[in-house]
């Protein structure tokens, strides 16, 4: 059984005149050791969904179980104990401003004896690489450092699960990568299950093994990262993937180029060892079709190479159908692009 | 000291009365501050935790408490003095004198201070509260370790404001038999046209206010990271 299981979860917020359905009929299974990404634009309901997992938010209906235990209706001490098993880090870090770094990390350890507390704080700060910041205040740290402190604090209760709620969204790209690397390390060394909430495909792409795509409170797609990346089933997933490989922006750049008017443009997506075979040369040798590359990109998703190639071809239909046959035969998925539309 | 006797002919012969009046003012202020302070913090905390989005949100309780606080805040202090006189007599046995004046002072200060406490605590970033909840903190733990700890610098500054307005109130109760520097300034200084007594009373009150302001600033700076 999965470590975290959500069944038909709904969360409604009652406003004065109307009801907002923040989460609609979401069912998800997150296995132990997963780094499970939940991606969506703001307002998609992903943060609310994350809060359902640690029961900061009670679902309106549906069931939530963590570690074989149903937590939907827990309250009081049982709920607090359950929350200790689930750490969470936030976009705004939420560190206590009047406490030093060591005191912040020690916050959950209030009932431990002092020497044990000190040892734990030392261990946690070492884990996130901030041993030398014990006695400074959060204000004196950079965003990335504050997030590391927040991670150390979230781990103080020895949780099995860590929820990262847009934890890297306020950070610059380089710091984002270093935080993601830290999360990956914690996932591997502590067997920590991580739920990564974000609106950035780049973050998901770097460390997640599974991903759920959310839109308007619903999970519209959930699968392994590789499948979503290579065969996105919904337009929303596709646009997240395209954004992360900068496909869209490159279309926008070439859209007004007169030389491309009335040409056929194909977008090819290919996975694994297919990336190493020379497609362009093949096309020329077999069919004498000269194509030129407009855009190319290779990503490594879970150590599997995933290629994207956009090529321009002669306009005649005969050669186009030949090429399509060839690509289907090679197992490469393709997509004919209408630049005028893509550039919008 | 010749100039003192020259410019303050009446006040210069009333040193012991000034000492006593100052003591009375400080006594009223101190006792009221302690009692109204504790009750005000309790009510302020209750307003925050039971209020909308609070950690123990309770609409009915909050609405009632909120209305009561508003009601008492709306009563002009000088009328409050008169209205609660029977109640004062019930508690301290008399409705005149320094000790008796502490009752209306407390009742007049609590609603004002509760709001100050509420404002200070509402200034605490809700994210910190959420983080504490997520770490499994109890409600009591969140009140003491997050709200009161993180809100402390603001709370101290707001308390100074309350203390200073409390000193104004002690001056007011002075006029209806409460004693203290207010009593001296009005009953002796104003009514007997001994203006120098009023001036000296005022100077003493200002010294107390400045001292409170200074200590408050130091405390607030100490509480800030």
């Amino acid at each position: 059984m999965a470590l975290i299981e959500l069944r038909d979860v709904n969360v409604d917020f009652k406003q004065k005149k109307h009801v907002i359905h923040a989460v609609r009929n979401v069912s998800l299974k997150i296995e132990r050791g997963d780094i499970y990404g939940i991606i969506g634009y703001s307002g998609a309901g992903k943060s609310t969904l994350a809060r359902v997992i640690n029961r900061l938010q009670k679902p309106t209906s549906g069931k939530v179980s963590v570690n074989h235990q149903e937590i939907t209706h827990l309250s009081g001490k049982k709920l607090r104990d359950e929350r200790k098993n689930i750490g969470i880090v936030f976009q705004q870090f939420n560190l206590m401003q009047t406490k030093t770094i060591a005191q912040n990390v020690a916050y959950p350890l209030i009932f431990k004896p002092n020497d044990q507390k000190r040892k734990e704080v030392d261990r946690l700060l070492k884990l996130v690489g901030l041993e030398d910041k014990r006695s400074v205040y959060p204000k004196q740290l950079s965003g990335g450092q504050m997030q590391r402190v927040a991670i150390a604090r979230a781990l103080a209760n020895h949780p099995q699960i860590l929820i990262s709620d847009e934890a890297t969204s306020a950070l610059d790209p380089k710091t984002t990568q270093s935080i993601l690397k830290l999360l990956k390390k914690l996932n591997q060394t502590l067997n920590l299950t991580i739920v990564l909430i974000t609106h950035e495909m780049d973050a998901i792409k770097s460390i997640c093994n599974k991903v759920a795509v959310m839109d308007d409170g619903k999970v519209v797609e959930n699968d392994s990262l590789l499948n979503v990346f290579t065969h996105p089933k919904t337009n929303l997933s596709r646009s997240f993937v395209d954004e992360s490989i900068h496909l869209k922006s490159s279309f926008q750049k070439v859209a007004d180029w007169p030389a491309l008017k009335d040409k056929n443009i194909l977008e090819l997506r290919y996975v694994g060892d297919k990336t190493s075979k020379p497609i362009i040369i093949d096309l020329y040798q077999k069919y004498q079709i000269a194509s030129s590359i407009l855009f190319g990109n290779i990503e490594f998703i879970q150590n599997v190479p995933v290629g994207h190639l956009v090529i321009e071809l002669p306009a005649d239909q005969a050669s186009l159908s030949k090429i399509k046959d060839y690509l289907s035969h090679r197992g490469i998925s393709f997509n004919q692009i209408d630049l005028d539309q893509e550039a919008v | 000291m010749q100039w003192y006797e020259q410019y303050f002919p009446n006040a210069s012969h009333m040193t012991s009365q000034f000492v006593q009046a100052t003591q009375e003012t400080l006594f009223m202020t101190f006792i009221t501050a302690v009692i109204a302070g504790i009750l005000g913090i309790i009510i302020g905390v209750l307003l925050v935790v039971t209020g909308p989005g609070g950690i123990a949100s309770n609409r009915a309780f909050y609405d009632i408490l909120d209305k009561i606080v508003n009601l008492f805040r709306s009563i002009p202090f000088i009328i409050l003095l008169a209205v609660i006189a029977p109640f004062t007599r019930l508690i301290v046995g008399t409705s005149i004198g320094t000790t008796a004046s502490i009752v209306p002072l407390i009742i007049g200060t609590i609603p004002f201070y509760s709001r100050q406490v509420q404002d200070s605590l509402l200034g605490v970033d809700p994210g910190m509260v959420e983080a504490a909840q997520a770490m499994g903190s109890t409600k009591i733990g969140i009140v003491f370790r997050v709200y009161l700890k993180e809100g402390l610098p603001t709370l101290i500054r707001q308390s100074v404001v309350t203390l200073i307005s409390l000193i104004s109130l002690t001056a007011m109760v002075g006029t209806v038999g409460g004693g203290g520097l207010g009593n001296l300034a009005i009953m002796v200084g104003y009514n007997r046209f001994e203006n120098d007594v009023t001036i000296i009373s005022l100077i003493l009150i200002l010294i107390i206010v400045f001292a409170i302001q200074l200590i408050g600033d130091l405390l607030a700076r100490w509480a800030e990271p």
Side-chain angles (χ1 to χ4, degrees), chain B residues 116-175:
Chain B
Q116 301 275 48
V117 173
Q118 187 188 13
D119 276 354
S120 311
L121 302 191
L122 284 179
V124 172
D125 180 0
M128 292 182 199
V129 178
E130 195 177 34
Q133 281 181 306
M135 286 185 281
S137 247
T138 60
K139 292 187 172 83
I140 298 287
I142 291 172
V143 166
F144 283 98
R145 302 177 68 206
V146 183
Y147 274 125
L148 292 176
K149 178 77 170 66
E150 295 299 317
L152 191 59
T154 327
L155 192 58
I156 291 173
R157 290 184 201 283
Q158 300 279 38
S159 303
V160 169
V161 175
T162 305
L163 267 177
I164 290 170
S165 79
L166 170 60
I167 292 189
S168 307
L169 297 187
T170 65
M172 220 188 287
V173 292
T175 62

Side-chain angles (χ1 to χ4, degrees), chain B:
Chain B
M1 294 301 277
Q2 219 177 348
W3 64 269
Y4 180 59
E5 283 181 35
Q6 187 186 342
Y7 289 105
F8 298 92
N10 307 300
S12 58
H13 300 294
M14 292 171 60
T15 310
S16 67
Q17 274 169 278
F18 277 115
V19 170
Q20 199 202 339
T22 308
Q23 281 170 349
E24 283 167 357
T25 294
L26 288 175
F27 173 74
M28 287 188 284
T29 308
F30 181 75
I31 302 290
T32 308
V34 170
I35 297 174
I38 292 170
L39 293 174
I41 287 174
I42 292 173
I43 294 172
V45 166
L46 285 176
L47 284 170
V48 171
V49 298
T50 62
I55 54 173
S57 190
N58 183 329
R59 188 72 189 261
F61 182 89
Y62 173 80
D63 279 348
I64 293 169
L65 193 61
D66 187 57
K67 297 283 179 307
I68 294 174
V69 168
N70 270 351
L71 178 74
F72 274 89
R73 260 191 85 177
S74 316
I75 305 175
F77 185 67
I78 200 91
I79 298 176
L80 180 77
L81 277 177
V83 170
I84 66 161
F87 176 68
T88 309
R89 217 168 295 136
L90 193 76
I91 293 182
V92 280
T94 170
S95 61
I96 40 174
T98 307
T99 313
S101 64
I102 287 174
V103 177
L105 280 177
I106 289 172
I107 292 173
T109 305
I110 285 175
F112 183 72
Y113 189 51
S114 307
R115 286 285 180 227
Q116 301 275 48
V117 173
Q118 187 188 13
D119 276 354
S120 311
L121 302 191
L122 284 179
V124 172
D125 180 0
M128 292 182 199
V129 178
E130 195 177 34
Q133 281 181 306
M135 286 185 281
S137 247
T138 60
K139 292 187 172 83
I140 298 287
I142 291 172
V143 166
F144 283 98
R145 302 177 68 206
V146 183
Y147 274 125
L148 292 176
K149 178 77 170 66
E150 295 299 317
L152 191 59
T154 327
L155 192 58
I156 291 173
R157 290 184 201 283
Q158 300 279 38
S159 303
V160 169
V161 175
T162 305
L163 267 177
I164 290 170
S165 79
L166 170 60
I167 292 189
S168 307
L169 297 187
T170 65
M172 220 188 287
V173 292
T175 62
V176 292
L181 289 166
N183 180 42
L184 217 53
I186 301 300
M187 295 304 173
V188 179
Y190 183 72
N191 291 351
R192 292 192 210 157
F193 303 104
E194 294 177 1
N195 282 338
D196 58 322
V197 175
T198 310
I199 300 284
I200 294 293
S201 303
L202 175 64
I203 290 171
L204 288 171
I205 286 176
L206 290 182
I207 289 172
I208 295 174
V209 169
F210 288 148
I212 288 172
Q213 186 77 58
L214 187 73
I215 295 169
D217 282 348
L218 289 175
L219 281 176
R221 217 169 302 158
W222 160 81
E224 265 163 17

Side-chain angles (χ1 to χ4, degrees), chain A residues 92-291:
Chain A
Q92 295 306 327
F93 324 123
N94 294 347
L95 298 176
M96 316 287 172
Q97 296 298 320
T98 68
K99 290 181 164 71
T100 63
I101 298 317
Q103 287 166 343
N104 263 289
V105 176
Y107 183 95
L109 306 171
I110 180 168
F111 298 116
K112 296 250 163 72
N114 274 339
D115 55 329
Q116 209 178 327
K117 211 188 271 183
R118 171 174 284 273
K119 250 187 232 162
E120 268 299 287
V121 171
D122 283 342
R123 179 185 74 86
L124 289 161
L125 285 179
K126 199 168 168 210
L127 197 62
V128 298
L130 286 177
E131 305 95 307
D132 54 334
K133 300 287 185 196
R134 280 193 70 97
S135 45
V136 306
Y137 288 93
K139 264 189 195 152
Q140 292 155 273
L141 297 184
S142 69
Q145 289 172 326
M146 282 197 261
Q147 199 55 284
R148 282 167 186 272
V149 176
I151 291 171
R153 181 177 70 170
L155 294 177
N157 284 324
H158 294 276
Q160 290 179 294
I161 300 161
L162 181 69
I163 299 170
S164 157
D165 184 13
E166 297 276 13
T168 59
S169 302
L171 305 174
D172 62 66
K174 204 176 153 196
T175 315
T176 296
Q177 282 307 319
S178 82
I179 294 289
L180 292 172
K181 231 182 239 171
L182 172 64
L183 291 178
K184 180 89 191 167
K185 185 184 97 178
L186 296 172
N187 167 255
Q188 285 166 344
T189 55
L190 307 175
N191 195 25
L192 188 69
T193 305
I194 296 176
V195 181
L196 190 84
I197 313 287
T198 183
H199 63 274
E200 297 165 321
M201 195 62 182
D202 280 341
I204 302 253
K205 191 170 77 182
S206 306
I207 62 169
C208 292
N209 62 335
K210 291 179 193 158
V211 60
V213 182
M214 280 192 82
D215 185 26
D216 196 22
K218 291 181 291 260
V219 168
V220 292
E221 187 163 351
N222 66 323
D223 207 335
S224 74
L225 177 67
L226 189 62
N227 280 346
V228 172
F229 218 85
T230 50
H231 301 102
K233 289 188 212 56
T234 57
N235 283 338
L236 182 63
S237 319
R238 221 196 103 179
S239 84
F240 275 123
V241 172
D242 289 356
E243 235 166 67
S244 96
I245 60 171
H246 310 293
L247 197 58
K248 198 105 182 171
S249 58
S250 57
F251 284 149
Q252 278 161 0
K253 273 181 213 149
V254 296
D256 295 331
W257 196 12
L260 288 177
K261 286 268 182 278
D262 309 320
K263 292 280 172 63
N264 281 312
I265 293 172
L266 280 189
E267 179 208 347
L268 317 180
R269 296 172 185 238
Y270 44 97
V271 189
D273 58 355
K274 295 188 190 85
T275 50
S276 55
K277 301 236 170 86
I279 298 163
I280 304 294
I281 294 179
D282 242 21
L283 280 180
Y284 185 73
Q285 286 178 344
K286 286 189 178 155
Y287 311 106
Q288 282 76 51
I289 294 171
S291 53

Side-chain angles (χ1 to χ4, degrees), chain A residues 307-321:
Chain A
H308 279 82
L309 198 59
V310 179
I311 55 175
E312 174 230 315
L313 300 163
D316 66 297
Q317 287 303 314
S319 47
L320 186 63
S321 61

Side-chain angles (χ1 to χ4, degrees), chain A residues 14-31:
Chain A
K14 287 197 181 72
Q15 302 292 84
K16 275 199 177 122
K17 287 270 160 68
H18 56 287
V19 176
I20 294 173
H21 304 284
V23 174
R24 306 171 194 239
N25 279 319
V26 169
S27 297
L28 279 183
K29 280 182 184 176
I30 300 176
E31 304 289 338

